[in-house]
Amino acid sequence: MAKFEVKNSEGKKVTETELAAEVYGIEPNIHVMHHIVKCQQACWRAGTQSAKGRSEVSGGGKKPWRQKGTGRARQGSIRAAQWRHGGVVFAPKPRSYAKRMNNKEVKLAMRSALSAKVRDNELVLVDDYGFEKPSTKAAVALLKNLGLGGKRLTIIVREDDINAYLSFRNIPRTFIITPDEANTYDILNNGAILMPADVAAHFGEVLA
């Protein structure tokens, strides 16, 4: 177990929490993190691109001119690839780009990403966001107090904390997710990550 300070909305240290060393204190596995991020990005691709091959375009049933004697290059169809409105060579078709992700690799990548954030001092824990009502102004002040103003952030909020979600969502360069939505890409793709201390403890339990 490693101790990590927990701050309040004013940016002051209020307590310390113990984070699981096997989740927040390992040597980051760069290869696995890269593999998982590439798999995630591949799964996000729509794969809906499509073009017609020469057998699918209309026309071209007749040979445009006789084989010999015209002085022109021989042609078999006006829908060959070199013709205008002709078919596309190796035309792309709808397909799935999804790649298989091993569950053990997914968890190792998450542990590596969280450990990397701790190592780089890019993980900030708070005791509670404390929004009594939605307020972007209060959210901006909170981030400024924590030294996170203007940074590209991933903010993790509890599923039932609607006020926190509504407060943070209009701030530029912030991306809000719930603990169930957390993934390697969103943990890495930022300048810092902000979450409540109990959420960090939750990750320590499910990823250990």
Side-chain angles (χ1 to χ4, degrees):
M1 292 286 186
K3 289 193 175 182
F4 199 88
E5 67 177 26
V6 180
K7 300 179 180 180
N8 60 14
S9 59
E10 298 178 353
K12 298 179 181 179
K13 177 182 175 182
V14 291
T15 185
E16 288 186 343
T17 185
E18 291 188 346
L19 299 179
E22 59 270 24
V23 175
Y24 294 92
I26 68 171
E27 180 66 26
N29 191 317
I30 305 299
H31 171 73
V32 171
M33 286 193 292
H34 176 265
H35 173 66
I36 294 300
V37 169
K38 295 299 289 184
C39 287
Q40 285 183 251
Q41 292 176 326
C43 291
W44 293 337
R45 294 185 65 176
T48 55
Q49 74 278 36
S50 183
K52 291 182 179 181
R54 63 180 293 170
S55 65
E56 298 170 306
V57 293
S58 60
K62 181 183 178 181
K63 186 174 175 66
W65 51 76
R66 59 194 177 93
Q67 182 81 346
K68 294 179 177 291
T70 64
R72 292 179 290 185
R74 54 194 176 189
Q75 300 292 333
S77 170
I78 62 171
R79 290 300 173 251
Q82 70 272 19
W83 285 75
R84 184 169 178 266
H85 300 306
V88 177
V89 179
F90 305 127
K93 293 296 178 185
R95 53 165 289 194
S96 171
Y97 287 92
K99 296 182 179 180
R100 181 178 179 274
M101 291 183 284
N102 185 286
N103 287 336
K104 289 185 178 179
E105 286 184 312
V106 172
K107 285 191 173 183
L108 176 57
M110 285 280 289
R111 293 197 297 267
S112 296
L114 290 170
S115 295
K117 286 298 177 183
V118 172
R119 182 192 62 184
D120 297 337
N121 296 318
E122 293 180 350
L123 175 64
V124 179
L125 301 184
V126 294
D127 55 348
D128 187 62
Y129 293 123
F131 296 109
E132 297 180 358
K133 62 179 182 179
S135 172
T136 301
K137 182 178 180 180
V140 170
L142 183 149
L143 295 181
K144 184 177 181 181
N145 293 337
L146 295 173
L148 301 175
K151 286 189 177 181
R152 178 180 173 87
L153 298 174
T154 294
I155 301 175
I156 301 179
V157 300
R158 304 180 188 93
E159 291 86 346
D160 57 350
D161 196 350
I162 304 300
N163 289 339
Y165 171 78
L166 295 176
S167 299
F168 286 121
R169 68 175 180 173
N170 288 327
I171 302 177
R173 295 165 59 82
T174 59
F175 184 68
I176 302 97
I177 58 176
T178 63
D180 290 342
E181 296 171 329
N183 58 79
T184 303
Y185 178 86
D186 291 334
I187 291 175
L188 293 174
N189 187 35
N190 52 61
I193 183 169
L194 173 66
M195 69 175 84
D198 58 341
V199 173
H202 170 72
F203 287 147
E205 295 173 0
V206 298
L207 297 175

